[in-house]
Amino acid sequence: MLFRARGDEIVIPLDEPAGAEHELTRVGGRIWQLCDGRHTLLQIAEQLTAELQVDPREARMDVTALVAQLCEMRLLQLDAEQGA
């Protein structure tokens, strides 16, 4: 799915003709970018920890929560083998 940057946020178009979109924070946008099928959820959390100097537990919780939300919205589908 395509996305674009708007300031510090990432914008994911949901319905182009209607102009509907979903905005992600800088951290959420980085998680979205790393959900590329090559990174597991743990690897994404580790990458966030390294890039943003955040607590590893907090990073894991943020990744898990956002990925669950994106899956619920059908913007993301988990691969059982990859974890993202």
Side-chain angles (χ1 to χ4, degrees):
M1 179 170 289
L2 299 175
F3 64 91
R4 66 181 182 279
R6 182 187 303 154
D8 283 343
E9 298 177 337
I10 296 289
V11 178
I12 305 167
L14 300 178
D15 183 358
E16 285 286 340
E21 54 191 27
H22 183 70
E23 293 182 8
L24 298 171
T25 64
R26 180 174 65 97
V27 174
R30 186 63 180 132
I31 293 169
W32 172 262
Q33 291 171 329
L34 291 168
C35 288
D36 58 6
R38 296 179 302 194
H39 297 90
T40 65
L41 297 181
L42 181 57
Q43 289 170 331
I44 294 169
E46 289 170 346
Q47 186 72 29
L48 286 181
T49 299
E51 289 179 10
L52 305 174
Q53 293 81 44
V54 296
D55 177 70
R57 184 170 183 259
E58 183 179 333
R60 286 191 304 271
M61 289 174 23
D62 288 350
V63 169
T64 301
L66 181 61
V67 167
Q69 178 186 23
L70 294 173
C71 286
E72 191 173 299
M73 296 176 69
R74 299 186 187 273
L75 295 174
L76 188 66
Q77 181 177 344
L78 285 179
D79 179 330
E81 291 182 20
Q82 292 288 332

